[in-house]
Amino acid sequence: MNETKQKILNAALDLFSQKGFSAVSIRDICKVVDIKESSIYYHFKNKQAIFDELLQQFESIATELMSQLDQGSMTLPDTFEENLLEKTCHCFFENYLMDDYCNKIMRMLSIEHLHSEEMQKIYDEWIFDKPLHFQGKMFSLLGAAGIVKAADSNYLAVKFYAPIFLFMQRWLFCGELTEECRQTFRENAYYHVNKFFHEMGDK
Amino acid sequence: MNETKQKILNAALDLFSQKGFSAVSIRDICKVVDIKESSIYYHFKNKQAIFDELLQQFESIATELMSQLDQGSMTLPDTFEENLLEKTCHCFFENYLMDDYCNKIMRMLSIEHLHSEEMQKIYDEWIFDKPLHFQGKMFSLLGAAGIVKAADSNYLAVKFYAPIFLFMQRWLFCGELTEECRQTFRENAYYHVNKFFHEMGDK
Amino acid sequence: MNETKQKILNAALDLFSQKGFSAVSIRDICKVVDIKESSIYYHFKNKQAIFDELLQQFESIATELMSQLDQGSMTLPDTFEENLLEKTCHCFFENYLMDDYCNKIMRMLSIEHLHSEEMQKIYDEWIFDKPLHFQGKMFSLLGAAGIVKAADSNYLAVKFYAPIFLFMQRWLFCGELTEECRQTFRENAYYHVNKFFHEMGDK
Amino acid sequence: MNETKQKILNAALDLFSQKGFSAVSIRDICKVVDIKESSIYYHFKNKQAIFDELLQQFESIATELMSQLDQGSMTLPDTFEENLLEKTCHCFFENYLMDDYCNKIMRMLSIEHLHSEEMQKIYDEWIFDKPLHFQGKMFSLLGAAGIVKAADSNYLAVKFYAPIFLFMQRWLFCGELTEECRQTFRENAYYHVNKFFHEMGDK
DNA sequence: GATGAATGAGTGTTCATTCAT
DNA sequence: TATGAATGAACACTCATTCAT
């Protein structure tokens, strides 16, 4: 891909994730990339097209990641904790929920998700549906294997994911996305995960 | 309060909660209220002042509600379920989380919470801190009374509130705030609450 | 009507009739009227609205004029030449074909008539259809009265109007609409009219 | 001539004749020719140069045609009708007034003729002066030969040409230049010509 | 209390053109 | 011959705000 075009996408993602699509002007992006305003229209049809390309890029990356996670969790773990928890969860957390690129996209989606019904759908999909669906399947597998009680894997997924989602919301919107804040998110999330699996093990 | 001024506030809340502060123009508000744009400046110093007054109005109402809840939960319940669950929880849900006016404010806050650090603080306060603090105190009381295990009332609060928060986010941004959608939220929330207290009782 | 608004309309008509709708910018108009560009949007929704209002104003004026002409030519003349020629024709020429305001509109229409099918229709109506129809009716009346041979009043109208139309086109686009050029048009037109009626009288 | 260059000229003529010089962008032309915008500047100095070359091409073609017509009408006809009417007129009509290429140029000229005084001159020359001059000479010859009354050959030319011009204007701007519309023009024009010569013969 | 009129600053976008490759 | 990349100038239009009445 063209160097300038990628610079524009990077700058746009940074700005959109900080202030939202409509609060960022073409001028703002160009100032960061250090090109003239008209030049941006050589690379993109219009402002919306920048947003769209950003989203599309993300969707292909995230889809790939999710399918890897799905495959990973298909091969049933021998021992519950060391394999699934340590591998699958870690991958989902570090490569998705805490990944710098994904976080920027999520912030951007969070800000813009009511600009259109389509946006809303995409937001719901990547923030709620996909993670919950993935975790639901995980619990359903664990249930089938007799590792956890087989009942209501969807509610189990909610109980598992909701606190993580809550911590993530705080992390995503604590101002700048600094490493320090991310660490707090990480600690809270893992504290919950450990407790959660421990409590399950008790039963 | 002046009649026109209240009309402006109502129209502004409706619009802000639908499209966000910056996506709503003075024109838009005036069109609804049926006054000329310049007239709005008789009642408010500027656009921001409308937003501020909306917020301030909400904070006084919500503060009052929260203090009632606090008082209610102070008087330790005799029997855990019928009193606390039915009364306090119901009050918190119906008068706050599902209240039409509060929902509009929450949507508005959700959309605008990164426009300024101050906004972020207010959002965090009313969406996370106050509810979590209130529920933490509740669990701490229940713990002191030996009704639940006394440990980590903060994490208990998170486990209790996070699913509700997750359901609420979906409800707040499912498009229009129709009664039908609210009912789905209500069902999901109460399903969780019942399960939660039931599981606690098991121990 | 508001003073500024009328000034804008006047300036717009002058400019549109000289250079055409799309070659004239809002800036151009504002420069003439001596207001800032944003001010124009207080008086008109957009650039097109200025054009539309100009056209609508013209259509009501011209419609009124045409209906007067129609009425005038209904009362059959006693003597062919002195009444119809001198009165009706004179009125049609001086108040329509050579009227300063109408000429500007005609030029404007001439330049813009292929911007849209609607424009084309309006142009055809006021440049071809209405004049030809009016003259056709005139000849048909004269024919019924036995003053001219009754045959093909439509073709008579064309023979009568076409040279006037040709002279008018030259007049409308001879550069500036100076009084000197209009005089040339007037002479050519009346030369034709006199010859035409004289030749008719011969038969 | 270079192939690409000719493609550009063809595309430009098509577009200019449909929407006018200034309403057509370099982009538009390049899209049709399927080259990049910068490439056009290898073949032409600028947009105006395309227009100029188009015009110059037309002028040499039309000049040649007119001189043929002049020569043709110089050799006095033996019999008025069969020779002059059928040959000269037919040639002038079919090869000029109704010729596809000429029509496109005429439309283009019609739209652009007030962009500059030079354009106006060219338009007048090819739409009014040359045709009228040619016909004037024709009638003057016929007069000298005693076939028509010798008087005012210029006015005769106007009487002859004006209806044709009027029909042509309608034809040129009836939307698309379809064969069906051209046929209407042809019929109207020949109806007039026949009537005209017939009436002349009566005297 | 309300409004008619105006405005400065800004927005996204188009366009003809240039120039190194 | 052709093009990728860039740009200055212009464009129509929006918006929050001001101020005299």
Side-chain angles (χ1 to χ4, degrees):
Chain A
M1 162 134 35
N2 186 303
E3 195 192 342
T4 304
K5 188 171 180 179
Q6 192 56 56
K7 271 195 208 166
I8 293 169
L9 285 171
N10 293 341
L13 178 54
D14 280 348
L15 291 167
F16 289 165
S17 71
Q18 275 162 42
K19 312 199 282 171
F21 177 78
S22 32
V24 171
S25 74
I26 291 285
R27 274 158 181 70
D28 293 334
I29 300 172
C30 290
K31 227 170 279 162
V32 173
V33 184
D34 196 31
I35 53 172
K36 302 298 168 189
E37 291 158 54
S38 51
S39 305
I40 220 166
Y41 290 90
Y42 175 74
H43 301 281
F44 296 94
K45 195 185 134 238
N46 54 27
K47 196 185 165 190
Q48 185 65 42
I50 304 176
F51 186 83
D52 291 343
E53 189 144 340
L54 240 21
L55 221 61
Q56 184 204 311
Q57 219 174 66
F58 165 74
E59 288 208 283
S60 79
I61 290 175
T63 303
E64 166 68 17
L65 181 76
M66 282 292 170
S67 84
Q68 276 178 17
L69 280 177
D70 267 7
Q71 276 182 298
S73 63
M74 282 313 164
T75 54
L76 241 194
D78 296 333
T79 51
F80 160 69
E81 254 169 286
E82 72 182 12
N83 198 322
L84 194 77
L85 181 69
E86 309 241 338
K87 222 180 99 200
T88 314
C89 248
H90 190 267
C91 176
F92 176 63
F93 278 24
E94 299 297 330
N95 296 334
Y96 187 66
L97 294 186
M98 289 167 195
D99 177 73
D100 202 50
Y101 172 71
C102 291
N103 282 165
K104 280 181 189 166
I105 296 281
M106 284 170 188
R107 263 185 77 132
M108 189 177 84
L109 283 174
S110 290
I111 307 169
E112 286 314 302
H113 68 145
L114 27 69
H115 267 203
S116 71
E117 286 195 24
E118 203 214 340
M119 279 301 307
Q120 185 60 46
K121 241 185 61 191
I122 294 170
Y123 176 78
D124 282 351
E125 196 177 335
W126 291 103
I127 302 291
F128 294 123
D129 300 337
K130 298 242 174 171
L132 282 172
H133 176 253
F134 159 66
Q135 276 140 19
K137 210 163 56 183
M138 204 174 70
F139 285 115
S140 151
L141 275 170
L142 293 172
I147 296 170
V148 305
K149 223 177 350 154
D152 203 343
S153 60
N154 282 338
Y155 178 56
L156 265 181
V158 167
K159 284 210 298 180
F160 179 70
Y161 182 61
I164 298 166
F165 170 68
L166 189 149
F167 295 138
M168 185 174 69
Q169 285 292 104
R170 307 214 68 168
W171 142 245
L172 283 181
F173 299 108
C174 70
E176 304 269 304
L177 294 177
T178 64
E179 199 48 51
E180 197 193 340
C181 288
R182 176 187 282 120
Q183 194 51 34
T184 307
F185 171 35
R186 187 180 274 116
E187 280 161 19
N188 281 324
Y190 280 116
Y191 176 84
H192 161 65
V193 171
N194 288 329
K195 275 248 179 184
F196 187 88
F197 281 112
H198 188 258
E199 283 176 18
M200 283 191 85
D202 280 1
K203 286 166 208 171
Chain B
M1 161 139 29
N2 183 307
E3 192 192 347
T4 304
K5 190 171 181 180
Q6 192 56 54
K7 270 194 207 165
I8 294 171
L9 286 170
N10 293 341
L13 178 54
D14 280 346
L15 291 167
F16 289 165
S17 70
Q18 276 162 41
K19 313 200 284 169
F21 178 77
S22 33
V24 171
S25 73
I26 293 284
R27 266 168 193 55
D28 294 332
I29 300 172
C30 290
K31 223 170 284 162
V32 173
V33 184
D34 197 32
I35 55 172
K36 301 299 167 190
E37 292 155 56
S38 50
S39 306
I40 223 167
Y41 290 89
Y42 177 78
H43 301 281
F44 297 93
K45 193 185 136 231
N46 53 27
K47 195 185 165 188
Q48 185 63 45
I50 304 175
F51 187 83
D52 291 344
E53 190 143 340
L54 239 23
L55 222 60
Q56 184 203 309
Q57 217 174 68
F58 165 74
E59 287 205 284
S60 79
I61 289 174
T63 303
E64 165 68 14
L65 181 76
M66 282 292 171
S67 85
Q68 276 179 16
L69 280 176
D70 267 7
Q71 277 183 299
S73 64
M74 283 312 166
T75 54
L76 238 194
D78 297 333
T79 50
F80 161 68
E81 256 170 286
E82 74 181 10
N83 199 322
L84 194 76
L85 180 68
E86 311 239 338
K87 224 180 97 199
T88 314
C89 246
H90 190 269
C91 175
F92 175 63
F93 278 23
E94 300 297 330
N95 296 335
Y96 187 64
L97 294 187
M98 289 166 195
D99 178 71
D100 203 49
Y101 172 71
C102 292
N103 282 165
K104 279 180 191 167
I105 296 280
M106 285 170 189
R107 260 185 80 130
M108 188 177 85
L109 284 173
S110 290
I111 306 169
E112 287 314 301
H113 66 145
L114 27 71
H115 267 203
S116 72
E117 287 195 23
E118 203 214 340
M119 278 301 307
Q120 185 60 47
K121 241 185 58 194
I122 295 170
Y123 176 78
D124 283 351
E125 197 177 333
W126 290 101
I127 301 290
F128 294 123
D129 299 339
K130 298 245 174 169
L132 281 172
H133 176 254
F134 159 67
Q135 274 139 19
K137 209 163 57 184
M138 202 174 71
F139 286 114
S140 148
L141 275 170
L142 291 171
I147 296 170
V148 304
K149 223 170 358 145
D152 202 343
S153 62
N154 282 339
Y155 178 57
L156 265 181
V158 167
K159 285 211 295 181
F160 179 71
Y161 183 60
I164 297 166
F165 169 66
L166 190 148
F167 295 137
M168 185 174 67
Q169 286 292 104
R170 306 214 69 166
W171 143 244
L172 283 181
F173 298 107
C174 70
E176 304 269 303
L177 296 178
T178 63
E179 198 50 49
E180 195 193 342
C181 289
R182 176 186 281 121
Q183 192 50 32
T184 306
F185 171 35
R186 186 179 276 119
E187 280 161 19
N188 281 323
Y190 280 117
Y191 177 84
H192 161 65
V193 170
N194 289 329
K195 275 248 178 186
F196 187 88
F197 282 114
H198 188 258
E199 283 175 19
M200 282 191 89
D202 281 358
K203 287 166 209 172
Chain C
M1 163 134 35
N2 184 304
E3 194 191 344
T4 304
K5 188 170 181 182
Q6 192 56 55
K7 271 194 208 167
I8 293 170
L9 284 171
N10 293 341
L13 178 54
D14 280 347
L15 291 167
F16 288 166
S17 70
Q18 275 162 40
K19 312 200 283 170
F21 177 77
S22 32
V24 171
S25 74
I26 292 284
R27 274 161 183 65
D28 293 333
I29 300 172
C30 290
K31 227 169 280 162
V32 174
V33 184
D34 195 32
I35 54 172
K36 303 299 169 189
E37 290 159 54
S38 51
S39 304
I40 219 167
Y41 291 90
Y42 176 74
H43 301 281
F44 296 93
K45 192 183 137 239
N46 53 27
K47 196 185 165 190
Q48 186 63 45
I50 304 176
F51 187 83
D52 291 344
E53 189 144 341
L54 240 21
L55 220 61
Q56 184 205 311
Q57 215 174 67
F58 165 75
E59 287 207 285
S60 79
I61 290 175
T63 303
E64 166 68 17
L65 180 77
M66 283 291 171
S67 83
Q68 276 179 14
L69 280 176
D70 267 8
Q71 277 183 298
S73 63
M74 282 312 163
T75 54
L76 240 193
D78 295 335
T79 52
F80 159 69
E81 258 170 285
E82 72 183 11
N83 198 322
L84 194 76
L85 180 70
E86 310 238 339
K87 223 179 97 200
T88 313
C89 248
H90 190 268
C91 175
F92 176 63
F93 279 23
E94 300 296 331
N95 296 334
Y96 187 65
L97 294 187
M98 289 166 195
D99 178 71
D100 202 49
Y101 171 72
C102 291
N103 282 166
K104 280 180 189 166
I105 295 280
M106 284 170 189
R107 261 185 78 132
M108 190 177 83
L109 284 174
S110 290
I111 306 170
E112 287 315 300
H113 67 144
L114 26 72
H115 267 204
S116 72
E117 287 196 22
E118 205 214 338
M119 279 301 307
Q120 184 61 45
K121 242 186 59 193
I122 294 171
Y123 176 78
D124 282 350
E125 196 178 334
W126 291 101
I127 301 291
F128 294 123
D129 298 338
K130 297 243 175 171
L132 281 172
H133 176 254
F134 159 67
Q135 275 140 18
K137 208 163 58 183
M138 202 175 73
F139 285 116
S140 146
L141 274 170
L142 292 171
I147 297 170
V148 304
K149 223 175 353 153
D152 202 343
S153 60
N154 283 337
Y155 177 57
L156 265 181
V158 167
K159 285 210 298 182
F160 179 71
Y161 182 59
I164 297 166
F165 169 67
L166 188 150
F167 295 137
M168 186 174 68
Q169 285 292 104
R170 307 214 66 167
W171 142 245
L172 283 182
F173 299 107
C174 70
E176 305 268 303
L177 296 177
T178 64
E179 198 48 52
E180 196 193 342
C181 288
R182 175 186 280 120
Q183 194 48 34
T184 307
F185 171 36
R186 187 179 275 116
E187 280 162 18
N188 280 324
Y190 280 116
Y191 176 84
H192 161 65
V193 170
N194 288 329
K195 275 248 179 185
F196 186 89
F197 281 112
H198 188 258
E199 284 176 17
M200 284 192 85
D202 280 0
K203 287 164 207 174
Chain D
M1 161 142 26
N2 184 305
E3 194 193 344
T4 304
K5 190 170 180 181
Q6 192 57 54
K7 271 194 208 165
I8 294 171
L9 285 170
N10 292 341
L13 178 54
D14 279 348
L15 291 167
F16 288 166
S17 70
Q18 275 162 41
K19 313 199 284 169
F21 177 78
S22 32
V24 171
S25 73
I26 294 284
R27 264 168 194 56
D28 294 332
I29 300 172
C30 290
K31 222 170 284 161
V32 174
V33 184
D34 196 31
I35 53 173
K36 301 298 167 189
E37 291 155 56
S38 49
S39 307
I40 222 168
Y41 289 89
Y42 176 78
H43 301 282
F44 297 94
K45 193 184 135 230
N46 54 27
K47 196 184 165 190
Q48 186 63 45
I50 304 175
F51 187 83
D52 291 344
E53 191 144 338
L54 237 25
L55 221 61
Q56 184 203 312
Q57 217 174 66
F58 165 75
E59 288 206 284
S60 79
I61 289 175
T63 304
E64 166 68 17
L65 180 78
M66 282 292 172
S67 84
Q68 276 179 16
L69 280 176
D70 267 7
Q71 276 182 301
S73 65
M74 283 310 165
T75 53
L76 237 193
D78 295 334
T79 51
F80 160 68
E81 255 170 285
E82 73 180 11
N83 198 320
L84 194 77
L85 179 69
E86 310 238 338
K87 226 180 93 198
T88 314
C89 248
H90 190 267
C91 175
F92 175 64
F93 278 22
E94 300 296 332
N95 296 333
Y96 187 65
L97 294 187
M98 289 166 196
D99 178 72
D100 202 51
Y101 171 71
C102 292
N103 282 166
K104 280 180 190 166
I105 296 280
M106 283 170 189
R107 260 185 80 130
M108 189 177 84
L109 284 172
S110 290
I111 307 169
E112 288 313 302
H113 68 144
L114 27 70
H115 268 203
S116 71
E117 287 196 22
E118 203 214 340
M119 278 301 308
Q120 185 60 47
K121 242 185 60 194
I122 295 171
Y123 176 78
D124 282 351
E125 197 177 333
W126 291 101
I127 301 291
F128 294 123
D129 298 339
K130 298 243 172 169
L132 282 172
H133 176 254
F134 159 69
Q135 275 140 19
K137 209 162 58 183
M138 203 176 70
F139 285 115
S140 150
L141 275 170
L142 291 171
I147 296 169
V148 304
K149 227 182 341 158
D152 202 343
S153 60
N154 282 338
Y155 178 56
L156 264 181
V158 166
K159 285 210 297 181
F160 179 69
Y161 182 59
I164 297 166
F165 169 67
L166 188 151
F167 295 137
M168 186 173 69
Q169 287 292 105
R170 307 214 69 169
W171 143 244
L172 283 182
F173 299 106
C174 69
E176 305 268 304
L177 294 178
T178 63
E179 197 50 48
E180 196 193 340
C181 289
R182 176 186 281 121
Q183 193 50 31
T184 307
F185 171 35
R186 187 179 275 119
E187 280 161 20
N188 281 324
Y190 281 116
Y191 176 85
H192 162 64
V193 171
N194 289 329
K195 275 248 178 185
F196 188 88
F197 281 112
H198 188 259
E199 283 176 15
M200 283 191 85
D202 280 0
K203 285 163 208 173

